[in-house]
Amino acid sequence: MSDQIPDTIVLIHGFWVTPRSWEGWTARFEERGFKVIAPAYPGLEVEVEALNADPSPIAELTAPALIDHLISVVEPLATPPIIMGHSAGGAWTQVLLDRGYGAAGVAINSAPTEGVKVVPLSQVRSTFPVLKNPANHHKAVGLTFEQWNYAFTNTFPEDEAHRLYERYCVPASGRILWNSVLANLEPGPQDIHVDYRNADRAPLLFISGGEDHIMPPKGQESNVKHYKGEGTVTEHQVIDGRCHLMPAQEGWEDVADLALSWALAHSGR
């Protein structure tokens, strides 16, 4: 692992949003002097409005292609970056760290990696728009405002929840969501597999919102407990009053600063 101080931060978004959801964090970290990269998923390098008009690239997305794309972003960097991921981006962050990329990682309201079987009822309700119908495996599946508000912005004032629904929300990949569920029912490593005993993995912090419906803290707590790599650092912090869209919730600056401070303090270990 590099002993250089990271000069780059990679921000990985989750499902139902795009890199636009990191707009506050990008500006804040750039003001601190970091190079910030917020890659879109492959084929989704257009604005929210265009994806809502034509979501076909989302339906064609696969987890292996997505992971390969993220590796193509981080691999050429001269210095290992800090990698931060939100929601599904937290799972991709775990995969990248397991494969040897990154000086430190932060997984915010993270989706689980393979083998984590704790599924709270609020998570079932939040993902039900996709998982209620196996035919959605081959589709890009959107959310109504009511579904978005329950899953992402349940602690927000309604007018702010509406504004961010219009600004951020896009359909999600039914294929990847369905495959992540089926992975725990099929033998052998699947798409979102990590080696929980990898002793060479960079430090990893999970940050959970205490009021998150789609990825409640108990899911991340289970994910943390899976990690058994000797000498590795894996920590979990729960922030009360925070919901799933933590990167845009009032007070997000404190969460961003916490994530960065922890990552810098643990980089290179």
Side-chain angles (χ1 to χ4, degrees), residues 10-207:
V10 177
L11 301 174
I12 306 175
H13 66 89
F15 291 140
W16 286 295
V17 295
T18 73
R20 185 187 286 180
S21 62
W22 287 116
E23 57 190 342
W25 293 48
T26 297
R28 191 168 185 83
F29 293 152
E30 287 177 341
E31 289 170 359
R32 293 280 300 273
F34 291 93
K35 177 182 178 181
V36 181
I37 304 172
Y41 292 174
L44 278 62
E45 298 89 350
V46 295
E47 294 295 346
V48 167
E49 295 76 13
L51 284 173
N52 281 319
D54 177 15
S56 57
I58 299 172
E60 297 167 2
L61 193 63
T62 68
L66 199 163
I67 293 167
D68 286 347
H69 175 68
L70 293 174
I71 289 173
S72 76
V73 171
V74 300
E75 194 168 47
L77 298 174
T79 303
I82 292 168
I83 303 174
M84 299 183 186
H86 172 246
S87 195
W92 312 133
T93 296
Q94 293 179 66
V95 171
L96 290 176
L97 264 59
D98 181 55
R99 298 193 185 189
Y101 300 102
V106 182
I108 302 157
N109 290 340
S110 180
T113 38
E114 186 178 325
V116 178
K117 298 180 181 180
V118 173
V119 184
L121 288 176
S122 65
Q123 183 176 340
V124 173
R125 177 177 170 183
S126 297
T127 55
F128 188 69
V130 176
L131 302 180
K132 67 181 179 181
N133 186 349
N136 286 338
H137 186 279
H138 304 291
K139 297 179 180 179
V141 184
L143 298 176
T144 65
F145 170 72
E146 289 73 21
Q147 291 165 341
W148 159 272
N149 195 32
Y150 179 82
F152 279 78
T153 53
N154 51 292
T155 65
F156 284 47
E158 187 168 336
D159 59 345
E160 181 66 358
H162 267 290
R163 185 183 74 83
L164 295 177
Y165 175 71
E166 296 295 334
R167 180 156 182 78
Y168 292 158
C169 188
V170 297
S173 165
R175 182 196 312 271
I176 296 178
L177 282 165
W178 262 103
N179 285 358
S180 68
V181 172
L182 296 174
N184 286 331
L185 304 175
E186 299 176 356
Q190 305 297 317
D191 292 342
I192 313 177
H193 169 267
V194 298
D195 177 4
Y196 290 118
R197 296 187 180 276
N198 182 355
D200 295 323
R201 195 214 70 218
L204 173 61
L205 171 66
F206 287 81
I207 299 178

